[in-house]
Amino acid sequence: MVASWLTALERLAHAREKAGLTRALRPRSADDPVVDLAGNDYLGLAVHPAVVASAGRALVAYGLGATGSRLVRGSTDAHAGLERDLADWLGTESALVFSSGYLANLGAVRALAQYGTLVVSDRYNHASLIDGCRTSGTEVVVAPHADPVGVAEILDGHPGRPAVVVTESIFSVDGDLAPLAALHEVTTARGALLLVDDAHAVGILGPQGAGGVAAAGLAGAPDVVVTATMSKSLGGAGGVVAGPQQLVRHLVDTGRTFIYDTALPPAVAAGVHEALRVARAADDRRALLRSRAALTMSRLSAAGLRVSDPAAAVLSVWAPGPEAALTWAADCRDRGVAVGCFRPPSTPDGSSRLRLTLNAGVSAEDFERALDVIVECAP
């Protein structure tokens, strides 16, 4: 029996290798010298002195971990203060911190998708939203990408039924922006809720970097729920669900990904809280990211590469196939530039590409060199 199931796993691994879909862990040192265009630290706050100092003070005060779930011993002053300021920043009545953005999305979708609810999910949604839909126990319809008319047709085909429309704001692969205002018009007219994963827009778009929902003028709308991760622009870890107080109460009482999970370490919560303060005042960093996004698209397009039009700090560069994408990313890495390599199933359309994530903490000289390397290593 043991031999048979291990043999089956080996066959699956061989099939993935033939298809160019193997993955590898590559541990990095603290002084890793590569130019980082693969990580998600958009504002460069993971190493900001004030952020690191705040986390260090909390580490001394609270110790390494939270020591329990939020409902046992895991809730601290650090969590409560972070939640208050997240709600204020995002313009919502309340906010609840999870240990990861993935768990926040699972919890939010499952909380909103009660029995009999129709869930309408954008075709390009992140895996965490897809998994939330799959485990919701209710009917899920996949909508055409960023298509309010398509969403309206789906909802109109289920009149009178409670519904939730699920989308990202900035989509995580190509970096395009969802038409949030138009989607909200569709959901409001039909009595549906709108759930927006703002992970790649928080810190980048909107007033004081409050995100794509705020940029669309929807902050605080009673029929809009916002989720986000704190592992991107805020440079730390953890996730948040923000919306009406009744939703947060429901999650505290019933959310399995909240109740049964050990809390985010207090030191991380404190560091993220300081990063939030820095991010709100970081208009200069946001302006730098906008200029770098425009420069990246211009330079790579001029070199004959197909590049997505970035709405924030994420963009993709198409590769001929999964093996070509792997080789391209490896060649860049060998020349000191880290880029993301996205292949199926991470890409919703089945194509492969490099994903570039811009970082305001990278020097101008290193950034220019990184663009040269990407062009020179192109297949």
Side-chain angles (χ1 to χ4, degrees), residues 193-221:
L193 298 177
L194 180 61
L195 172 61
V196 181
D197 178 358
D198 227 358
H200 291 275
V202 164
I204 310 299
L205 300 182
Q208 297 184 324
V213 171
L218 304 179

Side-chain angles (χ1 to χ4, degrees), residues 214-249:
L218 304 179
D223 54 353
V224 175
V225 173
V226 181
T227 66
T229 178
M230 297 174 289
S231 62
K232 295 179 172 52
S233 288
L234 298 182
V240 60
V241 178
Q245 188 276 331
Q246 293 92 330
L247 172 62
V248 169
R249 177 74 265 172

Side-chain angles (χ1 to χ4, degrees), residues 74-95:
S75 288
T76 67
D77 294 341
H79 296 85
L82 174 59
E83 286 168 340
R84 285 193 298 271
D85 278 4
L86 280 168
D88 180 70
W89 190 32
L90 300 175
T92 60
E93 185 178 19
S94 194

